[in-house]
Amino acid sequence: MEIVAILIGLGPLLGWGLFPTVASKFGGRPVNQIIGATIGTLIFAAVFAAFSSNGFPTGMDLVLSIISGAGWGFGQIITFKSFEYIGSSRAMPITTAFQLLGASLWGVIALGDWPGVSHKIIGFIALFVILIGAWMTVWSENGQAANSKNLRTAVILLLIGEIGYWAYSAAPQASSVGGQTAFLPQAIGMVLVAVIYGLITMKKKGNPFKDKVTWLQIISGFFFAFGALTYLISAQKEMNGLATGFILSQTSVVLATLSGIYMLNQRKTGKEMVVTVIGLVLIVVAAAVTVFIK
């Protein structure tokens, strides 16, 4: 059972780790990527719901689940946009760091996490280490990348996108249903945001629903959905539990970064690779620290 639990816990490593690289590989504009990815997620979630006995939420639980998915859709649109400026291999560690910071601060402020002074000191040191790790992943040997206009633009975009990711993680906490039950309505919320975005951009940039690449991006949505579902299963008490499941899921940033470098030819020098790998390790280790502070 432990081996099965660990294998399921590593599902996000493959799903979330390859999702940004696959989406970037297929290409297209952010609108193509978000429409295809969310439709792929909806298909995956609908098939899972058809073969499970989790039921479908109603009332406020349904609303919160849809809001959660809509939040992710908004955040992912912004993230796809940031790929145009700095590539997925640099954007993913930054957005992961921001999501970890947002989730941790929300836990401290709203949920009473890190109750003692020593807990808060350790926690905020860990958050600072996460930021250092993220900075190391975009460090450039020639000293230009860390101060480039594109990087600043991407960081601002990813900060804005964090609002959506925060809603994605925070909304379910006010719901009384489990993650697997909320999975399908979350996917519905994602598609709603994607369709609205597609309709908004249609007037200026053409109809994204007619682009072949939009429908190819459905495959990238399968990767995201696989990562999301395996995380939800992994986080159950009878599997890995929330803390261990979360830590295992954060290993996805390593694959997302390295696959972007090698599969998308977002090359780095030898020194930059060493600093990047150290930065990734700092992010994952510091993320583990924030989870186990009691």
Side-chain angles (χ1 to χ4, degrees), residues 66-269:
I66 292 176
I67 290 174
S68 172
W72 180 89
F74 171 79
Q76 193 59 45
I77 290 170
I78 301 297
T79 301
F80 280 145
K81 188 66 179 176
S82 74
F83 290 177
E84 296 181 331
Y85 289 93
I86 58 175
S88 62
S89 65
R90 284 186 167 87
M92 289 310 298
I94 297 173
T95 188
T96 298
F98 286 163
Q99 289 176 55
L100 288 170
L101 264 65
S104 298
L105 292 175
W106 173 251
V108 172
I109 297 171
L111 305 179
D113 294 344
W114 307 350
V117 174
S118 61
H119 299 138
K120 289 182 173 63
I121 291 174
I122 295 172
F124 282 109
I125 289 175
L127 296 183
F128 182 67
V129 171
I130 288 172
L131 287 176
I132 292 176
W135 175 82
M136 292 176 72
T137 64
V138 298
W139 176 80
S140 173
E141 192 172 358
N142 59 27
Q144 294 179 358
N147 298 306
S148 69
K149 180 180 178 181
N150 282 351
L151 179 59
R152 289 195 296 270
T153 301
V155 169
I156 292 172
L157 285 172
L158 292 170
L159 275 172
I160 296 172
E162 172 54 26
I163 298 172
Y165 289 133
W166 167 80
Y168 175 59
S169 60
Q173 296 173 7
S175 171
S176 61
V177 299
Q180 294 181 58
T181 303
F183 189 35
L184 179 56
Q186 280 180 328
I188 293 173
M190 295 173 186
V191 171
L192 287 175
V193 167
V195 170
I196 292 172
Y197 181 57
L199 294 174
I200 291 174
T201 61
M202 186 184 298
K203 294 181 179 179
K204 292 184 178 180
K205 299 183 178 181
N207 187 349
F209 300 97
K210 293 183 179 180
D211 296 336
K212 180 181 178 180
V213 68
T214 296
W215 305 104
L216 286 174
Q217 287 290 354
I218 288 176
I219 297 174
S220 71
F222 291 157
F223 280 86
F224 169 79
F226 176 77
L229 179 59
T230 50
Y231 169 67
L232 292 172
I233 296 174
S234 170
Q236 295 178 112
K237 290 182 179 180
E238 59 269 26
M239 296 299 288
N240 295 304
L242 184 60
T244 302
F246 175 80
I247 294 167
L248 289 173
S249 73
Q250 293 311 297
T251 58
S252 62
V253 68
V254 177
L255 183 57
T257 303
L258 297 181
S259 63
I261 291 171
Y262 292 110
M263 295 177 65
L264 301 176
N265 202 33
Q266 298 172 3
R267 295 295 182 181
K268 293 174 178 281
T269 66

